[in-house]
Amino acid sequence: MRATCILLCFFTFLVASSAHPGKKKQYKPCKELVLYFHDIIYNGQNAANATSAIVAAPEGANLTILASQFHFGNIAVFDDPITLDNNLHSPPVGRAQGMYIYDTKNTFTALLGFSFVLNSTDHHGTINFMGADPTTLKTRDISVVGGTGDFFMHRGIATIATDAYEGDVYFRLRVDIKFYDCW
Amino acid sequence: MRATCILLCFFTFLVASSAHPGKKKQYKPCKELVLYFHDIIYNGQNAANATSAIVAAPEGANLTILASQFHFGNIAVFDDPITLDNNLHSPPVGRAQGMYIYDTKNTFTALLGFSFVLNSTDHHGTINFMGADPTTLKTRDISVVGGTGDFFMHRGIATIATDAYEGDVYFRLRVDIKFYDCW
Amino acid sequence: MRATCILLCFFTFLVASSAHPGKKKQYKPCKELVLYFHDIIYNGQNAANATSAIVAAPEGANLTILASQFHFGNIAVFDDPITLDNNLHSPPVGRAQGMYIYDTKNTFTALLGFSFVLNSTDHHGTINFMGADPTTLKTRDISVVGGTGDFFMHRGIATIATDAYEGDVYFRLRVDIKFYDCW
């Protein structure tokens, strides 16, 4: 009976820990990826190199002009190369494709919605992201809401940092993807 | 041996119930939050108070004009204060940031994509939402697709109700967030 | 003690298999739906029949023109009928509502964000989708990030195929939705 009691405790622990693996800070990712992506914004002169463009803006809609100094309401669409290190000229392992929407009047904050489309010897599949990006903070956490291929059904948290930028044209983002739900 | 059999049944139940906690109506949220957010649409006169603006529209794209009486195709971007009660002037506990897209020709229906960025003594973190909003219904259910901080990896359902509105300028939305997957 | 050891193995297997049900190719969906949706793009002449429209474009924003031959940056909003078979004139079982964003300069690739709003005798509820759609591939996998009603909290993978198209005006998409997380 004592053995089964110990067993009981053990399984209670096991079941509990699989459903609720402890407090927030104790979670360990089941998979982790650190990747960089490179956003070169179209400025009218760099069509060959540009990887993103502003496609909607209050001015464009001819309906509203509101707080344009913080780009409020601008929607940018991007198709950025992803690299394993912070070098724009490293061989890309995939593309970051999606949009950001500047959504604050008095500072720089964006809503992000995008996919990583990975196609390398190490990784083949897509990772889908969504979340708020208060771009002036050193790091920002967004949600990994799903994945396909090697990332089938995965969920997790991506921590984004602005690794470097040049004026309004080049932004390099470091993304530390921690999956907590692997299949 | 009988004790282990009982144990077997008990654990089988535990494991089964943690994976499939019963039929749809029996689920109980592991966490619940009721919050209000306040959308003040820019109308050309209210730049200081406005919290949202139309940033894209078929007219703006100079390409199409289709069913404009129901705003089909209009994309609005918002950065709305979140309060604990239905008073616009209560101290905000965060911001609702994102977009809605009017997507029906013959009635008012929108696709919502937004984040709650909460920053109060009680809650610190983000909650990410996506779903269809047939705005003329009394309540509409959308998905909570992820979260960060206090809402790390959470999923659930948000029930949205239009709590009040004034013309085309002010909308107050009540959001009843029920998390069914807490970490 | 031997019985409890067997029990131990058995439960270890049970718990492990519920958290990690095997390798990728062994997963079986807990629910599957095959549906078609029909996208009729507004071309200036077909307002009565059109179900989608381009609402933002670099040209429209008056800010950028970049690689327009692949529609880079165009945002289209749609409200398409969903049918059980590939006939546009079959009775619709719901609407596909959302947007796609063309996001590549040198080929056709889009970011999809949309909901299926189902309202038939068989299915009542919404399914929310997000993912990358490299439209020139025969099939493309995107994420099912959540659901409501009959699809409460569901997650899965949707495989999209272009079933037919007519010029730039009509596209018929076949969606094979496989849910792997049913509640």
Side-chain angles (χ1 to χ4, degrees):
Chain A
M1 192 59 202
R2 199 177 147 199
T4 53
C5 277
I6 290 167
L7 195 57
L8 178 69
C9 296
F10 177 66
F11 278 120
T12 303
F13 168 77
L14 254 190
V15 171
S17 67
S18 84
H20 303 283
K23 293 200 175 175
K24 192 168 55 181
K25 297 189 179 174
Q26 296 175 332
Y27 288 106
K28 285 197 180 149
C30 42
K31 198 182 290 182
E32 186 169 359
L33 277 180
V34 177
L35 296 167
Y36 294 80
F37 68 101
H38 306 264
D39 196 39
I40 303 170
I41 300 169
Y42 183 63
N43 65 0
Q45 314 294 327
N46 59 351
N49 293 326
T51 63
S52 70
I54 296 166
V55 302
E59 302 94 304
N62 282 328
L63 294 174
T64 57
I65 300 174
L66 179 57
S68 62
Q69 70 271 35
F70 291 102
H71 302 317
F72 181 89
N74 281 9
I75 300 181
V77 173
F78 58 89
D79 172 33
D80 295 344
I82 301 170
T83 57
L84 295 174
D85 61 19
N86 65 4
N87 187 341
L88 168 62
H89 303 292
S90 294
V93 295
R95 310 292 295 189
Q97 301 181 325
M99 62 163 191
Y100 47 88
I101 301 181
Y102 288 102
D103 56 13
T104 316
K105 282 199 295 185
N106 54 3
T107 182
F108 290 106
T109 300
L111 180 77
L112 295 173
F114 63 97
S115 296
F116 271 16
V117 181
L118 295 172
N119 197 352
S120 70
T121 47
D122 289 330
H123 301 293
H124 194 87
T126 68
I127 309 170
N128 295 317
F129 303 84
M130 180 184 166
D133 181 10
T135 57
T136 56
L137 297 186
K138 193 174 175 191
T139 63
R140 297 85 72 178
D141 283 354
I142 64 172
S143 293
V144 175
V145 298
T148 67
D150 290 349
F151 309 99
F152 175 82
M153 292 287 289
H154 285 37
R155 291 179 69 233
I157 304 285
T159 301
I160 295 182
T162 305
D163 192 54
Y165 63 93
E166 290 171 17
D168 279 341
V169 170
Y170 175 68
F171 288 86
R172 183 169 68 229
L173 298 166
R174 182 186 188 276
V175 188
D176 185 347
I177 305 168
K178 291 191 175 78
F179 296 104
Y180 295 94
D181 192 1
C182 301
W183 285 60
Chain B
M1 192 58 202
R2 199 178 148 198
T4 53
C5 277
I6 290 167
L7 196 58
L8 178 70
C9 296
F10 178 66
F11 279 120
T12 303
F13 168 76
L14 253 189
V15 171
S17 67
S18 85
H20 303 284
K23 292 200 175 176
K24 192 168 55 179
K25 296 191 179 173
Q26 297 176 330
Y27 287 107
K28 285 196 180 150
C30 43
K31 198 182 290 182
E32 186 170 359
L33 276 180
V34 176
L35 296 167
Y36 293 81
F37 69 100
H38 306 264
D39 195 40
I40 302 171
I41 300 169
Y42 183 63
N43 65 1
Q45 314 294 327
N46 59 351
N49 294 327
T51 64
S52 72
I54 295 166
V55 302
E59 302 95 303
N62 283 329
L63 293 174
T64 58
I65 299 175
L66 181 57
S68 63
Q69 70 272 35
F70 292 102
H71 303 315
F72 181 88
N74 280 10
I75 300 182
V77 173
F78 58 89
D79 172 33
D80 295 344
I82 300 170
T83 57
L84 295 174
D85 60 20
N86 66 3
N87 187 340
L88 169 61
H89 302 292
S90 294
V93 295
R95 309 292 294 190
Q97 301 180 326
M99 63 163 191
Y100 48 87
I101 301 181
Y102 287 103
D103 56 14
T104 316
K105 282 199 296 185
N106 54 2
T107 183
F108 290 105
T109 299
L111 180 77
L112 295 173
F114 63 96
S115 295
F116 271 16
V117 182
L118 297 171
N119 197 353
S120 69
T121 47
D122 289 331
H123 301 292
H124 194 87
T126 68
I127 308 170
N128 295 317
F129 304 84
M130 180 184 166
D133 182 9
T135 58
T136 55
L137 298 185
K138 193 175 175 191
T139 62
R140 297 85 73 180
D141 283 354
I142 63 172
S143 293
V144 175
V145 298
T148 66
D150 290 349
F151 309 99
F152 174 83
M153 292 287 289
H154 285 36
R155 290 181 69 234
I157 305 285
T159 301
I160 295 183
T162 305
D163 192 55
Y165 65 92
E166 291 170 16
D168 279 341
V169 170
Y170 175 68
F171 288 85
R172 182 170 69 228
L173 297 166
R174 182 184 189 276
V175 188
D176 185 347
I177 307 168
K178 290 190 176 77
F179 296 105
Y180 295 94
D181 192 1
C182 300
W183 285 61
Chain C
M1 193 59 202
R2 201 178 146 198
T4 52
C5 277
I6 290 167
L7 196 57
L8 177 70
C9 296
F10 178 65
F11 279 119
T12 304
F13 169 77
L14 253 190
V15 171
S17 68
S18 84
H20 304 283
K23 292 200 175 176
K24 192 167 55 181
K25 297 190 177 172
Q26 296 176 331
Y27 289 107
K28 286 197 180 148
C30 43
K31 197 183 292 183
E32 186 170 359
L33 277 181
V34 176
L35 296 167
Y36 294 81
F37 69 100
H38 306 265
D39 196 40
I40 303 171
I41 300 169
Y42 183 63
N43 65 1
Q45 314 293 328
N46 58 351
N49 293 326
T51 64
S52 71
I54 296 166
V55 302
E59 303 92 303
N62 283 329
L63 293 174
T64 58
I65 300 175
L66 179 58
S68 62
Q69 69 271 36
F70 292 102
H71 302 315
F72 181 89
N74 280 10
I75 300 182
V77 173
F78 58 90
D79 172 34
D80 295 344
I82 301 170
T83 56
L84 295 175
D85 61 19
N86 66 3
N87 187 341
L88 169 61
H89 303 293
S90 295
V93 295
R95 310 291 295 189
Q97 301 181 325
M99 62 164 191
Y100 48 87
I101 301 181
Y102 287 103
D103 56 14
T104 315
K105 282 199 295 184
N106 54 2
T107 184
F108 291 106
T109 300
L111 180 76
L112 294 173
F114 62 97
S115 296
F116 270 15
V117 181
L118 296 172
N119 196 354
S120 70
T121 47
D122 288 331
H123 301 293
H124 193 87
T126 69
I127 308 171
N128 296 315
F129 303 84
M130 180 182 166
D133 181 10
T135 57
T136 56
L137 297 186
K138 193 175 175 191
T139 62
R140 298 84 74 177
D141 283 354
I142 63 172
S143 293
V144 176
V145 297
T148 66
D150 289 348
F151 309 99
F152 175 82
M153 292 287 288
H154 285 36
R155 290 179 70 234
I157 304 286
T159 301
I160 294 183
T162 305
D163 191 56
Y165 64 93
E166 291 171 16
D168 279 341
V169 170
Y170 174 68
F171 288 87
R172 182 170 70 228
L173 298 166
R174 182 186 189 275
V175 188
D176 185 347
I177 307 168
K178 291 191 175 77
F179 296 104
Y180 296 93
D181 192 2
C182 300
W183 285 59

